[in-house]
Amino acid sequence: MKENKKENAKVYWKENIRYVLILLSIWFAVSYGAGILFKDVLNNFKIGGFKVGFWFAQQGSMYVFVILIFVYVRLMNKLDKKYGYDA
Amino acid sequence: MMHSLLIEGIGVQNWTYILVGLTFALYIGIAIWSRASSTKEFYVAGGGVSPLANGMATAADWMSAASFISMAGIISFAGYDGAVYLMGWTGGYVLLALLLAPYLRKFGKFTVPDFIGDRYYSKTARIVAVFCALLVSFTYVAGQMRGVGIVFSRFLEVDINTGVIIGMLIVLFYAVLGGMKGITYTQVAQYCVLIFAFMVPAIFISIQITGNPIPQFGFGGELADESGTYLLDKLDGMSTELGFAEYTEGSKSLIDIFAITLALMVGTAGLPHVIVRFFTVKRVKDARKSAGIALLLIVLLYSTAPAVAVFARTNMIETVSNQPYHDVPDWFKKWETTGLITFTDKNNDGLIQYLADKNENELVIDRDIMVLANPEIAKLPNWVIALVAAGGLAAALSTAAGLLLVISSSVSHDLVKKIINPKISEKGELVAARLSAIGAVCVAGYFGINPPGFVAAVVALAFGLAAASFFPAIILGIFYKRMNKEGAIAGMVVGIIAMLLYMIKYKLGWFDEVLPDKSEWWFGISPEGFGSIAMCLNFIVSIVIMSFTPSPPEDVQEIVENIRIPSAVGEANSH
């Protein structure tokens, strides 16, 4: 029984880490990628009056951050249920 | 007719008294209603705050005088480079929500040193953490009290020192009486005040300049004058004409932008006054959710700030550049008397030359004016101008209160209860908590009135200090079961010392006759960005030392396994 519980926790943790890694790579891509490292390339394109790199640095990355947290909240609420940790 | 005359008749000054008076009465009312009666209420508001209330409180706690008053101004002078603050001060919340908040909530104690002390089973670790928490919080709080004083002096024409003392008394009242409980609910009110005060002028000005009521879209849109020109193109053009870098390009080096953004993000996630807010919610899932709500509410202001920056800069250049000095509008003269705008007619042509070239430039503008005088520059009604004062005060007071709580709980809980006198009664600890809150307010007030020259320089570095000390210790504590006390302590000590030394050498210049030049920075990284290097040092030292020292005891490893799963949350008063 106790072994089962331990195994459950282990699998839960693994899935959690997978979510975290995926979401953090998006976090990195929009801010450090689009907003900093590839800013100059992206600045050759425009959306309305915004150069794309500039927009990611001063607007887009922040919006993505908010979305990432809420996605994580949803994923984890589901995961908690799946492994019986939502009590 | 009579009515509108009456409204017209109320000047900026009186509007400011009315709005500031009303908001202060509100804060005091909330403080009386939410007095703390136990240490649990004092430290973590009883642990039953709803995710929405905690999100709002976190947002107000987080957004300081610097976010409200200075940030848009900094961006408007820095252009693209200002993005380091925008991304840095928001991206940290992703780290908080994904890597820290849920686990610290599950751990369920009162303070950050609590976690460090228990996870690393060591009084030394706890003391190092207390030292770091105090260092970070004091550098930060001094700047807030100064911000309160400045708002008072500019809008109410009282002396800066009187302003600081009034601010101290207000914070003292609700922090000492209500502790975290009082602070939480006043912060909820303060968030509403500050976001309203920031958005109203931004929306007005966006409509004026671009015809779009949403500033976030407006600043990427075309000008309202139907010329078909994009606002940002116009500003890029004006900037290069005056010799500045293109607004959307910036001038800092890539590596420094990268390092500063990282240091600010990680520092944000490691600031004790932010982390401790997640101890106040009921469940692990509430901690995640309230981090999301907090960031949403923060981004509302942070995504508006770069728009305000563009509007303000365009307005400012258009109003003053190459205009005859004797024709300047009233606000120019008014802010000139405060010394925040200075004009010297170097070539005696009677025109204002605002240029990038320092030898020819005749106009010096303090960055704070960009937000404070923005409504006046755009000729908005008096009540909007007064609203900005109330908002600035809300921002400064809410952050100051959050920091003071960290300082007082570090002293009363981590030092008095956990180290000096573990047998202290609940009542005694509450008294100690209140006394240390009073002490902390006095110290903060002292620094507000007599700011040592280095305070302003150091506030921005509080993030570097947090990044260099707490962040790695907490992350390793959660994600690396094998991490032991020797590794964590060594890492924190090395991280914080490296940060302090770099800061003293390259920011304060105390080691040399003159402040060393930029060209001497390691890898071209500024002191503001060095936090990310110090953080890496901390990680490396921790792991190296750990591999030569024994594993943590079995029961500590069990703590780690336990905080990784969300159910069966321990009550926050479980000790």
Side-chain angles (χ1 to χ4, degrees):
Chain A
M1 187 61 204
K2 203 177 168 219
E3 275 311 298
N4 247 342
K5 239 175 145 181
K6 263 203 154 154
E7 197 49 38
N8 200 35
K10 225 177 181 172
V11 185
Y12 169 85
W13 184 245
K14 243 190 180 155
E15 286 208 38
N16 175 22
I17 295 287
R18 199 169 63 95
Y19 288 154
V20 168
L21 288 178
I22 294 171
L23 294 174
L24 283 185
S25 37
I26 301 174
W27 164 85
F28 185 87
V30 290
S31 50
Y32 297 95
I36 299 177
L37 297 172
F38 300 108
K39 165 199 70 139
D40 290 333
V41 182
L42 291 174
N43 274 351
N44 293 322
F45 306 95
K46 272 182 131 182
I47 316 175
F50 289 117
K51 291 179 184 167
V52 173
F54 176 82
W55 183 79
F56 267 104
Q58 296 213 343
Q59 296 276 303
S61 52
M62 292 191 283
Y63 301 141
V64 177
F65 294 158
V66 175
I67 295 168
L68 287 178
I69 298 185
F70 283 108
V71 168
Y72 183 66
V73 168
R74 282 201 64 150
L75 288 174
M76 289 311 283
N77 285 348
K78 269 195 200 150
L79 201 64
D80 289 354
K81 255 199 201 110
K82 185 172 159 195
Y83 289 90
Y85 291 131
D86 60 336
Chain B
M1 181 72 190
M2 270 299 283
H3 188 69
S4 72
L5 263 182
L6 209 66
I7 298 275
E8 288 293 308
I10 304 179
V12 176
Q13 189 84 1
N14 290 329
W15 269 117
T16 312
Y17 278 115
I18 293 169
L19 290 180
V20 170
L22 280 176
T23 52
F24 276 21
L26 177 68
Y27 306 152
I28 291 174
I30 293 172
I32 294 172
W33 164 72
S34 58
R35 287 183 308 274
S37 53
S38 66
T39 49
K40 189 183 172 190
E41 286 190 345
F42 194 92
Y43 294 139
V44 294
V49 178
S50 79
L52 178 65
N54 190 49
M56 292 171 88
T58 309
D61 200 11
W62 172 243
M63 291 190 283
S64 60
S67 295
F68 188 94
I69 301 172
S70 309
M71 191 173 67
I74 296 175
I75 300 169
S76 89
F77 286 98
Y80 164 80
D81 293 348
V84 297
Y85 301 106
L86 295 167
M87 292 191 286
W89 286 341
T90 54
Y93 279 83
V94 179
L95 299 176
L96 257 174
L98 272 53
L99 304 176
L100 304 173
Y103 312 109
L104 292 172
R105 175 61 198 93
K106 176 67 197 296
F107 174 73
K109 294 286 174 68
F110 293 149
T111 65
V112 174
D114 250 349
F115 176 78
I116 304 274
D118 286 9
R119 166 62 181 84
Y120 295 115
Y121 47 99
S122 148
K123 272 192 183 169
T124 319
R126 186 186 287 271
I127 292 171
V128 172
V130 169
F131 172 77
C132 297
L134 291 178
L135 187 67
V136 171
S137 303
F138 267 120
T139 49
Y140 211 107
V141 80
Q144 301 306 317
M145 295 316 280
R146 195 70 191 160
V148 171
I150 288 172
V151 173
F152 265 107
S153 71
R154 286 182 205 169
F155 285 92
L156 297 171
E157 287 170 19
V158 297
D159 179 51
I160 285 200
N161 295 349
T162 320
V164 171
I165 291 170
I166 297 173
M168 272 171 67
L169 290 175
I170 299 279
V171 174
L172 196 65
F173 190 76
Y174 66 75
V176 171
L177 207 59
M180 186 55 120
K181 198 176 163 202
I183 288 173
T184 300
Y185 295 105
T186 35
Q187 280 173 340
V188 169
Q190 282 158 339
Y191 177 77
C192 300
V193 172
L194 80 87
I195 197 70
F196 187 68
F198 198 83
M199 296 307 291
V200 167
I203 291 170
F204 268 121
I205 297 172
S206 182
I207 295 174
Q208 272 182 3
I209 298 188
T210 69
N212 194 327
I214 303 170
Q216 284 84 346
F217 298 145
F219 86 115
E222 294 176 7
L223 293 165
D225 61 11
E226 295 182 5
S227 60
T229 321
Y230 285 116
L231 174 59
L232 283 167
D233 290 342
K234 180 179 168 189
L235 183 55
D236 275 347
M238 288 199 300
S239 304
T240 41
E241 221 168 88
L242 300 175
F244 297 97
E246 262 187 56
Y247 185 85
T248 52
E249 294 296 337
S251 48
K252 277 197 170 78
S253 74
L254 188 82
I255 185 167
D256 201 25
I257 294 269
F258 195 99
I260 297 177
T261 307
L262 185 63
L264 294 179
M265 279 195 192
V266 175
T268 300
L271 281 180
H273 73 285
V274 177
I275 293 177
V276 78
R277 289 238 45 101
F278 295 98
F279 290 105
T280 66
V281 293
K282 208 165 185 149
R283 295 166 301 179
V284 170
K285 59 192 280 191
D286 296 336
R288 297 188 200 117
K289 191 173 168 194
S290 69
I293 294 171
L295 183 61
L296 178 68
L297 298 175
I298 291 167
V299 164
L300 194 55
L301 188 148
Y302 272 50
S303 62
T304 309
V308 170
V310 168
F311 300 148
R313 183 145 183 94
T314 313
N315 254 347
M316 195 270 293
I317 295 179
E318 284 202 317
T319 319
V320 300
S321 178
N322 263 325
Q323 300 298 319
Y325 178 65
H326 62 84
D327 284 350
V328 293
D330 285 345
W331 60 264
F332 191 98
K333 296 262 154 76
K334 188 182 145 201
W335 289 92
E336 225 180 352
T337 57
T338 62
L340 293 171
I341 294 182
T342 51
F343 169 67
T344 23
D345 197 0
K346 290 179 186 158
N347 57 4
N348 290 317
D349 63 353
L351 299 176
I352 301 171
Q353 265 90 35
Y354 177 60
L355 299 164
D357 184 338
K358 283 207 174 70
N359 295 319
E360 288 177 52
N361 179 39
E362 303 178 337
L363 182 68
V364 180
I365 300 177
D366 186 282
R367 62 189 186 195
D368 290 354
I369 290 188
M370 289 307 201
V371 165
L372 296 176
N374 208 11
E376 292 168 86
I377 299 177
K379 305 191 187 80
L380 298 183
N382 287 341
W383 65 269
V384 179
I385 300 169
L387 196 57
V388 173
L393 286 171
L397 290 176
S398 57
T399 307
L403 290 160
L404 290 169
L405 191 91
V406 167
I407 296 170
S408 78
S409 58
S410 292
V411 173
S412 65
H413 182 73
D414 294 306
L415 284 182
V416 175
K417 164 94 181 173
K418 291 287 176 167
I419 292 171
I420 300 170
N421 178 12
K423 277 183 242 141
I424 192 167
S425 68
E426 157 88 15
K427 245 191 177 155
E429 192 185 341
L430 196 56
V431 172
R434 290 201 157 112
L435 286 179
S436 39
I438 295 175
V441 174
C442 294
V443 176
Y446 174 82
F447 282 128
I449 292 171
N450 307 302
F454 53 86
V455 162
V458 168
V459 169
L461 301 168
F463 293 90
L465 293 171
S469 57
F470 288 125
F471 185 77
I474 299 174
I475 290 289
L476 291 169
I478 297 165
F479 292 88
Y480 200 7
K481 226 189 305 177
R482 166 79 171 79
M483 184 46 65
N484 58 11
K485 65 174 174 189
E486 290 84 355
I489 296 171
M492 282 195 288
V493 170
V494 170
I496 202 128
I497 288 178
M499 184 65 211
L500 280 173
L501 290 180
Y502 197 81
M503 189 169 117
I504 292 171
K505 181 158 173 73
Y506 294 105
K507 185 81 187 181
L508 302 174
W510 291 351
F511 291 153
D512 306 271
E513 302 275 300
V514 288
L515 189 66
D517 184 70
K518 278 183 184 186
S519 58
E520 291 178 36
W521 289 348
W522 297 10
F523 321 108
I525 292 176
S526 60
E528 286 79 7
F530 191 75
S532 39
I533 304 287
M535 170 192 77
C536 296
L537 267 179
N538 181 334
F539 272 117
I540 294 168
V541 168
S542 298
I543 291 170
V544 169
I545 299 286
M546 175 208 74
S547 51
F548 293 108
T549 42
S551 294
E554 206 48 41
D555 59 320
V556 169
Q557 303 200 25
E558 244 162 60
I559 295 183
V560 179
E561 273 173 21
N562 193 34
I563 59 173
R564 289 176 177 184
I565 51 171
S567 58
V569 167
E571 287 285 298
N573 63 346
S574 60
H575 61 136

